[in-house]
Amino acid sequence: MSFDLRELYQEIILDHYRHPRNQREPERATAHSEGHNPLCGDKITVSVRTENGQLAEVGYHASGCAISVASASLMSEAVKGKPLGEVERLCKEFQGAVTSPDGGEFPEMGDLNALAGVREHPVRIKCATLPWHALRAALSGVDKMVTTE
Amino acid sequence: MSFDLRELYQEIILDHYRHPRNQREPERATAHSEGHNPLCGDKITVSVRTENGQLAEVGYHASGCAISVASASLMSEAVKGKPLGEVERLCKEFQGAVTSPDGGEFPEMGDLNALAGVREHPVRIKCATLPWHALRAALSGVDKMVTTE
Amino acid sequence: MVTATSFSVEAIRKEFPILATRLGDKPLVYLDNAATAQKPQVTLDAMDEFWRTSNANIHRGVHHLSQMATAQFDTARETVRRFLGARHAHECLFTKGCTEGINLVAQSYARPRLKPADEILLSTMEHHSNIVPWQLVAEQTGAIVRPIPINDDGEIDLAAYGRLLNERTKIVGLVHISNSLGTINPIKAMIAQAHAAGAVVLIDGAQAGPHLPIDVQDLDADFYTLSCHKIYAPTGMGVLYGKEALLEAMPPYHGGGDMIRTVSFEGSTFAGLPNKFEAGTPNVGGVVGLGATLKWLMALDREEVERHEAELVGYAETLLSDIPGVRLIGKARQKAAIVSFVMDTAHPHDIGTVLDAEGIAIRAGHHCCMPVMERLGVPATARASFGLYNTREEVEALARGVQKVKEIFG
Amino acid sequence: MVTATSFSVEAIRKEFPILATRLGDKPLVYLDNAATAQKPQVTLDAMDEFWRTSNANIHRGVHHLSQMATAQFDTARETVRRFLGARHAHECLFTKGCTEGINLVAQSYARPRLKPADEILLSTMEHHSNIVPWQLVAEQTGAIVRPIPINDDGEIDLAAYGRLLNERTKIVGLVHISNSLGTINPIKAMIAQAHAAGAVVLIDGAQAGPHLPIDVQDLDADFYTLSCHKIYAPTGMGVLYGKEALLEAMPPYHGGGDMIRTVSFEGSTFAGLPNKFEAGTPNVGGVVGLGATLKWLMALDREEVERHEAELVGYAETLLSDIPGVRLIGKARQKAAIVSFVMDTAHPHDIGTVLDAEGIAIRAGHHCCMPVMERLGVPATARASFGLYNTREEVEALARGVQKVKEIFG
Ligand SMILES: Cc1ncc(COP(=O)(O)O)c(C=O)c1O
Ligand SMILES: Cc1ncc(COP(=O)(O)O)c(C=O)c1O
């Protein structure tokens, strides 16, 4: 039980939690999606504007724990302005990395590596993946309401 | 567990089981009642003719185990022709006697004493009391269907 | 007579503490397995361990115990999935018993769909648990319950079944193994016929669970229910398997915690499978015990278990039918684990009492199957039902006990 | 500070094996009792003993084990009767949980009776288990669910309640003790008011069971539900108390074995109480454990237990409100065993994780009470809930843990 909480709550996480980047509704958003973690009450709305196969803008409104808010904020920085194919690849890579059983190497993903600590906290993994679920849902335009039951 | 089954299945019980007395529908019956033990499927119909405050005639049709059939048969002999008040008293006395916890003295009740052995077999007590329930129901004229759930 | 089998009943018996019981000077001979089975040590240990080390409420907890409890609970559901051969674990719902599973289907699947004059077919050998829920829903909807007849041997009349199926048939309810007669019904073929007629089939697998390997996908069953306490697991649990598409199309059954997505006084939205059907705190400790039990059972050579049980049935039928005045009830060609009988001179209830005095536990009565008793013209039967731990010596004790009944009743 | 009480929490703790758990180098501090309580040795022993010596199906067996099992089962029901102060044991029905009990009343009592525009009043602080079943039945019948407002302290607005009651009010559902706030509601007076308006009242006693002596006759409750796993008993059981006359007038809930008198394909007749509502094999082993648990609990000096728990709550409130940035949620004058709070800088979920690292188990979330969260303007709370085995030292550990949260989150 004795684990280092600093591993989970790294400064970069706390910083993004306190000062979430891109927390706004983008202008002329082309799609929205709502994500919900009924187990802890986390809620996030992700809005996107796609242009010429690029994720021109991404914004969100997140109400939740440090992990989910920081994950949303870090995500927005990581995907903004990227080609949609790359965004999709990134989403998959990140979701795969945090849900893989602890022990394996976490891929090099820049600031997102700050979220590697959640792998040691199985119940918190859903907090970290919720914004990414919502982003993919917004981009796929199919399922406008996702949950992490 | 080792108890004497001969105590339960006395000759008199087996005799009444094989040759039930008064197993018929009395002429000009004034009331009927059906008794049912859903746990083992025992069924009995009791019919009576009352005249001038007397139980002039009692008959039944019993389908069930040795204990319930013998009890019906012994009952019919014990109550036939008796004043209704005495029948009621007898019913109460018998039902009280067989349901009282084992160990107490069984009252002197003639042939009915052959049924004293059921007190050592709690699940069989309902078999012994079923016909008596049905008789009282027929006499009270209220509840035409009784069970021993 | 020694049988050459690597399945060791002596070793198995040691795993069940209650089997060492002595009743007075007699060893307990437990032949009431169709009513409920005894529990192996591995099950008792798993539960005890759970209460002592991991007990917590599941799913909503961030703390260590809750995570342990949740992991064990989810693992047990995966074990159930394997036991049934289901495609998804979330198709396997925990209920409080086989009976609740059938009622859930009747109320949540059938009630909103059935229209007046729609038909529900049930075999005459169904347990009350697979009759009364349908009578209740028939009354609520105007649908009609029709019995599928059986023959004198206690087998479903397949020709009559074929004739009864028609475009108004919406539901067919069939017992996999009859608890009163031991008949194994040809459910795979019957399911295919029902599907061809456009009906949905619920299989009552209460008695199949302990005796046969089950593969719901191979059977193509729409719904399949288990009674866990009959599969050597604790009381208070059943499993309802349902095909994903059917379960998803059904409204929730109970409202409450864990089955919701959002709740407000303006309206609520519901969770996905399996949660939608599992409102409230589940039987976490029991489910952990169930998981341990099924793992243990699946690790045995189930073909040898089947063979062993079939041998017990055959031996019991031989010994009992050799006794004059004994008549076997239920002579299906396909039978499992159950021997029902009556005697000329003694009522089943009395047979039960005499055997009890010998330390032998059987059941006497209608076995919650009044229609089949009515059909076969008996008010009740005496029923010996076997588990994997029963022995040939116990079958012989049963036969000696029946001789004792004859001594008393002639 | 030493309190002069003969109730020895140290002795009590020894009766709960799990409380000796260490999580790494920290002792387990279990403060999630409102979710589920831990089980005393006496309960584990009673169940283990049952499985090893008496396991059998009940009610229909002539044999020795079945008689032992039946006797123990019936004795447990009588113990439940005493625990609730009910007039008759058959007014106390075993369900699979508190949630099922409420659904049973909604479906079997309310559904056949409710007409369009009839009203169901529920307090805003109800658990989802006492909201969603009524929403489902409202949808089925056209009845309307109306919330009874609460004030900022988390107390029911009694004036508003009086105004809401009217001749269309058919059912009032009230939680005895709120699981999210700890509020003890003045249910006796509220029941009397509801009766005066002609309504029937269901009390959700899930949280009251472990903390208050209950007397359903004194309260004059029409229905009262318990969640057994919260009263130190095993999972998989609830109790539904109902007044005899109400239960008798209700149609059966589940169809199946044991709840019938006769079954035929022409129609079936039903058994009396309690069997009519207990179709199928009950959780015999669990009920035996429940009986042992309630006996044990009733043998304690319950006033001292109440005093001990009240002291823990008071101490926790004092220590927590001394920490800057901590805000208590729920400040009712009458409170029991539960302390909910939020922090300026940390989300409840993060509070839970940090405390977990200290070995302290609390719950974070909406506690299945979304409407009360909405009403009080918080998305979630951190909740510490006490059992009779908790200590002042554990409250101090909680406060130190919250300090740790502040160290991380500022
Ligand atoms: C107030 C209240 N009502 C109902 C319930 C539901 O109880 P169960 O989950 O045992 O059915 C709970 C427990 O979560 C509760 O706290
Ligand atoms: C064939 C069959 N169906 C259903 C049931 C009901 O199972 P339970 O009582 O566990 O709900 C039984 C057990 O009695 C059974 O034998």
Side-chain angles (χ1 to χ4, degrees):
Chain A
M1 248 308 86
S2 153
F3 53 79
D4 193 351
L5 278 178
R6 294 284 167 189
E7 193 56 44
L8 181 65
Y9 294 118
Q10 298 185 19
E11 262 319 314
I12 186 165
I13 300 280
L14 294 173
D15 179 46
H16 278 262
Y17 173 49
R18 293 190 191 115
H19 312 288
R21 325 296 199 258
N22 303 307
Q23 171 137 275
R24 59 172 174 260
E25 168 78 12
E27 276 174 42
R28 289 170 290 125
T30 52
H32 306 267
S33 143
E34 209 181 304
H36 218 275
N37 182 343
L39 305 182
C40 59
D42 287 354
K43 235 186 288 187
I44 185 166
T45 329
V46 171
S47 307
V48 295
R49 190 176 75 245
T50 53
E51 272 170 17
N52 312 322
Q54 306 262 110
L55 182 49
E57 268 285 8
V58 57
Y60 59 89
H61 186 80
S63 134
C65 64
I67 305 299
S68 67
V69 173
S71 182
S73 174
L74 287 161
M75 173 184 82
S76 70
E77 294 205 314
V79 298
K80 202 164 104 171
K82 292 256 161 70
L84 293 177
E86 196 178 329
V87 170
E88 178 65 14
R89 194 190 51 71
L90 207 66
C91 286
K92 278 196 186 139
E93 187 182 17
F94 176 77
Q95 289 179 318
V98 293
T99 56
S100 81
D102 184 33
E105 196 70 37
F106 202 87
E108 175 43 49
M109 300 188 75
D111 280 358
L112 291 172
N113 284 58
L115 287 160
V118 297
R119 290 183 300 169
E120 280 182 61
H121 300 269
V123 279
R124 305 306 301 273
I125 289 173
K126 288 174 174 176
C127 308
T129 55
L130 181 63
W132 300 76
H133 277 300
L135 174 62
R136 291 179 78 177
L139 290 177
S140 77
V142 193
D143 191 3
K144 294 308 193 177
M145 163 82 160
V146 297
T147 75
T148 60
E149 270 147 19
Chain B
M1 249 310 87
S2 153
F3 52 81
D4 193 351
L5 279 177
R6 296 281 166 191
E7 194 55 44
L8 181 64
Y9 295 118
Q10 297 185 18
E11 262 320 313
I12 186 166
I13 300 283
L14 294 173
D15 180 46
H16 277 261
Y17 173 49
R18 295 191 190 113
H19 314 287
R21 326 295 200 258
N22 303 308
Q23 170 138 273
R24 60 171 174 261
E25 167 78 14
E27 278 172 40
R28 290 170 288 123
T30 51
H32 306 268
S33 143
E34 207 183 305
H36 218 275
N37 181 343
L39 305 182
C40 59
D42 286 355
K43 235 186 286 189
I44 186 168
T45 331
V46 171
S47 306
V48 296
R49 188 175 76 246
T50 54
E51 272 171 17
N52 313 322
Q54 305 263 112
L55 182 49
E57 268 285 9
V58 57
Y60 59 90
H61 186 80
S63 135
C65 65
I67 305 300
S68 67
V69 173
S71 181
S73 175
L74 287 161
M75 172 184 83
S76 71
E77 293 204 315
V79 298
K80 203 165 103 172
K82 293 257 164 67
L84 292 177
E86 198 178 323
V87 171
E88 177 65 15
R89 195 191 49 71
L90 207 65
C91 287
K92 276 198 188 138
E93 187 182 14
F94 176 78
Q95 290 179 317
V98 291
T99 56
S100 81
D102 183 34
E105 197 71 37
F106 202 87
E108 175 43 50
M109 301 189 74
D111 280 358
L112 290 173
N113 284 57
L115 286 160
V118 297
R119 291 183 301 169
E120 279 182 62
H121 300 268
V123 279
R124 306 305 302 272
I125 289 172
K126 289 174 174 178
C127 307
T129 56
L130 181 64
W132 299 76
H133 277 298
L135 173 64
R136 291 179 77 178
L139 291 176
S140 76
V142 193
D143 191 3
K144 292 307 190 179
M145 164 81 161
V146 296
T147 76
T148 60
E149 271 147 21
Chain C
M1 193 181 104
V2 179
T3 33
T5 154
S6 73
F7 167 79
S8 161
V9 69
E10 287 318 313
I12 284 281
R13 288 181 73 79
K14 294 216 179 72
E15 301 190 41
F16 288 80
I18 203 173
L19 296 182
T21 302
R22 292 190 72 84
L23 301 168
D25 57 347
K26 310 260 173 36
L28 166 67
V29 176
Y30 187 75
L31 301 180
D32 195 18
N33 293 285
T36 201
Q38 299 302 339
K39 320 305 172 200
Q41 188 64 46
V42 65
T43 301
L44 306 187
D45 287 348
M47 290 194 291
D48 206 59
E49 169 93 2
F50 174 78
W51 300 121
R52 285 168 189 279
T53 67
S54 323
N55 176 54
N57 212 323
I58 58 168
H59 289 324
R60 285 158 305 175
V62 285
H63 60 78
H64 181 69
L65 289 185
S66 180
Q67 293 173 44
M68 297 213 328
T70 303
Q72 292 180 49
F73 186 82
D74 292 346
T75 301
R77 196 192 302 273
E78 169 58 21
T79 305
V80 169
R81 185 201 65 71
R82 277 202 294 134
F83 185 78
L84 286 173
R87 186 167 286 129
H88 306 291
H90 62 245
E91 295 176 316
C92 304
L93 309 178
F94 291 117
T95 62
K96 72 171 168 177
C98 178
T99 300
E100 187 188 25
I102 299 171
N103 279 276
L104 192 161
V105 175
Q107 289 296 312
S108 184
Y109 176 79
R111 188 171 183 175
R113 281 174 182 71
L114 289 178
K115 308 231 166 344
D118 278 350
E119 295 182 5
I120 302 165
L121 297 189
L122 306 174
S123 91
T124 303
M125 71 176 88
E126 297 308 308
H127 187 279
H128 295 165
S129 286
N130 205 19
I131 299 176
V132 185
W134 303 111
Q135 292 182 325
L136 294 176
V137 80
E139 201 176 292
Q140 289 154 352
T141 60
I144 296 161
V145 173
R146 291 200 185 287
I148 309 166
I150 60 172
N151 66 24
D152 292 344
D153 288 341
E155 293 169 321
I156 288 178
D157 180 339
L158 292 173
Y161 174 57
R163 285 191 301 274
L164 279 165
L165 280 169
N166 68 66
E167 73 285 355
R168 289 185 310 280
T169 312
K170 291 300 179 311
I171 289 160
V172 177
L174 295 172
V175 71
H176 195 164
I177 298 181
S178 153
N179 67 303
S180 53
L181 308 175
T183 312
I184 305 177
N185 288 313
I187 57 166
K188 187 173 172 178
M190 293 180 75
I191 288 171
Q193 276 179 277
H195 286 169
V200 154
V201 185
L202 178 143
I203 301 296
D204 170 358
Q207 296 296 337
H211 301 302
L212 297 180
I214 298 162
D215 185 334
V216 289
Q217 290 189 70
D218 177 57
L219 292 170
D220 200 20
D222 299 301
F223 297 104
Y224 194 104
T225 57
L226 294 176
S227 171
C228 300
H229 65 94
K230 297 186 203 282
I231 322 180
Y232 310 105
T235 48
M237 283 171 297
V239 170
L240 169 64
Y241 161 83
K243 284 181 182 164
E244 186 183 53
L246 293 172
L247 294 176
E248 280 188 341
M250 287 156 61
Y253 179 55
H254 285 159
D258 273 343
M259 57 69 75
I260 57 92
R261 197 159 278 164
T262 59
V263 173
S264 83
F265 276 96
E266 286 69 51
S268 302
T269 58
F270 304 120
L273 297 176
N275 301 39
K276 182 169 79 172
F277 291 105
E278 293 183 359
T281 304
N283 186 351
V284 188
V287 165
V288 169
L290 171 65
T293 315
L294 294 184
K295 256 190 195 150
W296 163 87
L297 188 58
M298 286 190 281
L300 299 177
D301 182 334
R302 297 203 68 193
E303 276 184 29
E304 296 218 14
V305 170
E306 258 186 271
R307 199 149 43 221
H308 171 70
E309 292 177 351
E311 221 181 273
L312 295 176
V313 169
Y315 193 39
E317 291 185 334
T318 305
L319 293 189
L320 290 178
S321 39
D322 276 357
I323 302 173
V326 170
R327 185 159 60 94
L328 298 180
I329 303 294
K331 296 181 176 171
R333 277 152 301 172
Q334 298 294 322
K335 275 195 62 174
I338 286 161
V339 178
S340 251
F341 63 98
V342 294
M343 293 175 75
D344 284 352
T345 52
H347 187 276
H349 216 171
D350 295 309
I351 301 173
T353 292
V354 175
L355 291 178
D356 182 44
E358 300 296 311
I360 303 165
I362 62 148
R363 196 138 289 234
H366 51 61
H367 318 295
C368 295
C369 293
M370 285 188 184
V372 87
M373 299 289 121
E374 179 81 24
R375 164 63 182 84
L376 298 179
V378 289
T381 75
R383 179 189 72 184
S385 54
F386 301 101
L388 47 74
Y389 38 61
N390 288 123
T391 65
R392 293 174 65 83
E393 290 71 35
E394 290 180 318
V395 172
E396 289 156 7
L398 169 67
R400 279 196 306 276
V402 172
Q403 289 288 4
K404 198 105 177 188
V405 178
K406 277 182 70 76
E407 280 168 35
I408 295 173
F409 283 85
Chain D
M1 192 180 105
V2 179
T3 34
T5 154
S6 72
F7 168 80
S8 162
V9 69
E10 287 318 314
I12 285 279
R13 287 182 74 79
K14 294 217 177 71
E15 300 190 41
F16 288 79
I18 203 172
L19 296 182
T21 302
R22 293 190 72 85
L23 302 168
D25 58 346
K26 311 260 172 37
L28 166 67
V29 176
Y30 188 75
L31 301 179
D32 194 19
N33 293 284
T36 200
Q38 300 302 338
K39 320 305 173 200
Q41 188 64 46
V42 65
T43 301
L44 306 187
D45 287 347
M47 290 195 291
D48 205 60
E49 170 95 1
F50 174 78
W51 300 121
R52 285 167 190 280
T53 67
S54 322
N55 175 55
N57 212 322
I58 58 168
H59 288 322
R60 286 157 304 174
V62 285
H63 60 78
H64 181 69
L65 290 185
S66 180
Q67 293 171 45
M68 299 214 325
T70 303
Q72 292 180 47
F73 186 82
D74 292 347
T75 300
R77 196 191 302 273
E78 170 58 22
T79 304
V80 169
R81 185 202 65 73
R82 277 202 293 133
F83 185 77
L84 286 173
R87 185 166 288 128
H88 306 292
H90 62 244
E91 295 175 316
C92 303
L93 309 178
F94 292 118
T95 62
K96 72 171 169 177
C98 179
T99 300
E100 187 188 26
I102 299 170
N103 279 276
L104 193 161
V105 175
Q107 290 295 313
S108 185
Y109 175 80
R111 188 170 182 177
R113 282 173 181 72
L114 289 178
K115 307 231 166 345
D118 279 351
E119 294 182 4
I120 302 165
L121 296 189
L122 307 174
S123 90
T124 302
M125 71 176 88
E126 296 308 309
H127 187 280
H128 295 165
S129 286
N130 205 18
I131 298 176
V132 185
W134 303 111
Q135 291 182 326
L136 294 175
V137 81
E139 200 176 293
Q140 289 154 353
T141 60
I144 296 161
V145 173
R146 290 199 186 285
I148 308 166
I150 60 173
N151 66 23
D152 293 343
D153 287 341
E155 293 170 322
I156 287 178
D157 179 340
L158 292 173
Y161 173 59
R163 285 192 301 272
L164 279 164
L165 280 169
N166 68 67
E167 74 284 355
R168 288 185 311 279
T169 311
K170 291 298 177 314
I171 289 160
V172 177
L174 295 172
V175 69
H176 196 162
I177 297 182
S178 153
N179 67 303
S180 53
L181 307 175
T183 312
I184 305 177
N185 288 313
I187 57 167
K188 186 172 173 178
M190 293 180 76
I191 290 171
Q193 276 179 278
H195 286 169
V200 154
V201 185
L202 178 142
I203 302 295
D204 170 359
Q207 296 296 337
H211 302 303
L212 296 180
I214 297 163
D215 184 334
V216 290
Q217 291 189 72
D218 177 59
L219 293 170
D220 200 19
D222 300 299
F223 297 103
Y224 195 104
T225 58
L226 294 177
S227 171
C228 299
H229 66 93
K230 297 185 203 283
I231 321 179
Y232 311 104
T235 48
M237 283 170 297
V239 171
L240 168 63
Y241 160 83
K243 284 181 182 165
E244 185 182 54
L246 293 172
L247 293 177
E248 280 187 341
M250 285 155 63
Y253 180 55
H254 285 159
D258 273 343
M259 56 69 75
I260 56 92
R261 198 158 278 164
T262 59
V263 173
S264 83
F265 277 97
E266 286 70 52
S268 302
T269 58
F270 305 119
L273 297 176
N275 300 39
K276 181 168 81 170
F277 291 105
E278 293 182 359
T281 304
N283 187 352
V284 189
V287 165
V288 168
L290 171 66
T293 315
L294 294 184
K295 256 190 194 149
W296 163 86
L297 188 57
M298 286 190 281
L300 299 176
D301 183 334
R302 297 204 66 193
E303 275 184 31
E304 296 218 14
V305 170
E306 258 185 273
R307 199 150 43 221
H308 170 68
E309 293 177 351
E311 221 182 273
L312 295 176
V313 169
Y315 193 39
E317 291 185 335
T318 306
L319 294 189
L320 290 177
S321 39
D322 276 357
I323 303 173
V326 170
R327 185 158 62 92
L328 299 181
I329 303 293
K331 297 181 175 173
R333 276 152 301 172
Q334 298 293 321
K335 274 194 62 172
I338 285 161
V339 177
S340 253
F341 62 98
V342 294
M343 293 175 75
D344 284 352
T345 53
H347 186 276
H349 215 171
D350 296 309
I351 302 172
T353 293
V354 175
L355 292 177
D356 182 44
E358 301 296 310
I360 303 165
I362 63 148
R363 198 139 286 238
H366 52 61
H367 317 296
C368 294
C369 292
M370 285 189 185
V372 87
M373 298 290 121
E374 180 81 25
R375 165 63 181 84
L376 298 179
V378 289
T381 75
R383 179 189 73 184
S385 55
F386 302 101
L388 48 73
Y389 39 59
N390 289 122
T391 65
R392 293 174 65 84
E393 291 69 36
E394 291 181 317
V395 172
E396 288 156 8
L398 170 67
R400 279 196 308 275
V402 172
Q403 290 288 5
K404 197 105 177 188
V405 178
K406 277 183 69 77
E407 279 168 35
I408 295 174
F409 283 85

